Amino acid sequence: MTTPTFTPRVFSGIKPSGGLTLGNYLGAIKRFVQMQEEDFETIYCMVDLHAITVWQDPADLRRNTRELAAGFIASGISPEKSILINQSQVPEHAQLGWVFSCVARMGWMQRMTQFKDKAGKNAQNVSLGLFGYPALMAADILVYHATHVPVGEDQKQHLELTRDIALKFNHDYGVDFFPVTEPVIEGAATRVMSLRDGSKKMSKSDPSDASRINMTDDADAIAKKIRKAKTDPDALPSEAAGLENRPEARNLVNIYAALSDKSVDQVLKEVGGQQFGAFKPLLADLAVSKLSPISDEMARLMNDPAEIDKILARGTEQAREITAPILKKTYEIIGMVG
Ligand code: TRP
């Protein structure tokens, strides 16, 4: 059997189940934008079918999906360079998802730690979709024969499952059809933590709005949240080792480094010795200068949902040129009569 070569192709997705935060931007979207400039075809997806594993108010789902699309575009995902889609509109995702539900084993799924965490004691009462979710995620990726998937650390196990599904499919049908996907895992350095508690991830579901910077926040809100961010009383150290056991200080320095495309050590060389009273205004200025153009553009796009929908409709067409032949071939391999 000859091993086919696969086009270097990136796929990643974000759930439209709430507003976008600085954590999504620095942890994922900024990376997605960079990968457009590398030697990859890039496909980015609003995974609305994943969002409904937990009930979503229909009006919220519509708004969040368009807000996410606006966030992608405003951050620099170009519809000229990337395919931007809404998962439900490309039916091959769900179709291949069913096939993979028949490839994945119960035992594999039962090991998924994210399911165990999310279901908790309530496991009998969550949706079947929440349990099967990783099979659909594998389909999202493999329906494009994607080779590289940028995700956060929390998705690593789902990517391993994606590889297991690809390998089992290939083995069971004696083919070399689905590629073994490379995870591109973001390091802890780009994990953005809560502005109120440096040990918790910045989250769209935190009850305190002051704990996060929303991608829709205007310049005033951004500056105010940074001024009020929790810190400790000490001056900033001049090297990274000095941030140990100072989670809030580390978080603000990490944010500064990520926004300015510098390393933490470079930043500390510049600001080491400063008190937060001096550092916070620098960080606020930087954050406003990088983020408020994005939030302004998001606001403009959100006022023009027809433009967003047009971009997504074009993305659907481009996506299906890839997904329809791959699904067709999958069905042939399995023995479905066409
Ligand atoms: N499971 C991912 C998350 O919760 C979202 C997702 C769905 C995804 N399908 C994907 C990410 C495919 C990468 C590739 O963040």
Side-chain angles (χ1 to χ4, degrees), residues 14-18 46-48 51 56 60-61 64-65 68 86:
I14 297 182
K15 274 195 300 240
S17 52
M46 274 76 61
V47 286
D48 58 354
Q56 303 288 319
D60 289 348
L61 181 60
N64 288 331
T65 302
L68 180 52
N86 187 22

Side-chain angles (χ1 to χ4, degrees), residues 12-131:
S12 197
I14 297 182
K15 274 195 300 240
S17 52
L20 275 175
T21 70
L22 180 65
N24 299 114
Y25 177 67
L26 292 179
I29 299 177
K30 198 162 166 264
R31 178 62 159 288
F32 297 174
V33 174
Q34 284 162 1
M35 289 184 105
Q36 284 183 143
E37 310 304 329
E38 299 167 22
D39 286 334
F40 292 114
E41 283 180 29
T42 43
I43 301 136
Y44 298 119
C45 184
M46 274 76 61
V47 286
D48 58 354
L49 294 172
H50 282 281
I52 63 161
T53 53
V54 174
W55 188 83
Q56 303 288 319
D57 178 86
D60 289 348
L61 181 60
R62 267 189 286 275
R63 199 197 50 247
N64 288 331
T65 302
R66 292 202 179 99
E67 183 183 311
L68 180 52
F72 274 135
I73 299 163
S75 304
I77 303 284
S78 152
E80 309 303 321
K81 295 182 186 160
S82 292
I83 299 177
L84 192 59
I85 50 160
N86 187 22
Q87 184 186 27
S88 59
Q89 304 309 301
V90 180
E92 290 79 13
H93 287 240
Q95 289 173 299
L96 187 63
W98 173 255
V99 173
F100 285 171
S101 290
C102 301
V103 174
R105 304 290 95 183
M106 287 294 285
W108 301 0
M109 308 304 271
Q110 277 159 350
R111 281 198 289 276
M112 294 295 115
T113 55
Q114 193 178 54
F115 176 77
K116 287 191 258 186
D117 291 347
K118 281 197 176 176
K121 291 203 176 67
N122 201 25
Q124 291 303 308
N125 214 19
V126 296
S127 72
L128 181 57
L130 190 70
F131 183 69

Side-chain angles (χ1 to χ4, degrees), residues 128-147:
L128 181 57
L130 190 70
F131 183 69
Y133 173 121
L136 179 59
M137 177 164 165
D140 295 337
I141 296 164
L142 293 173
V143 80
Y144 296 90
H145 280 182
T147 54

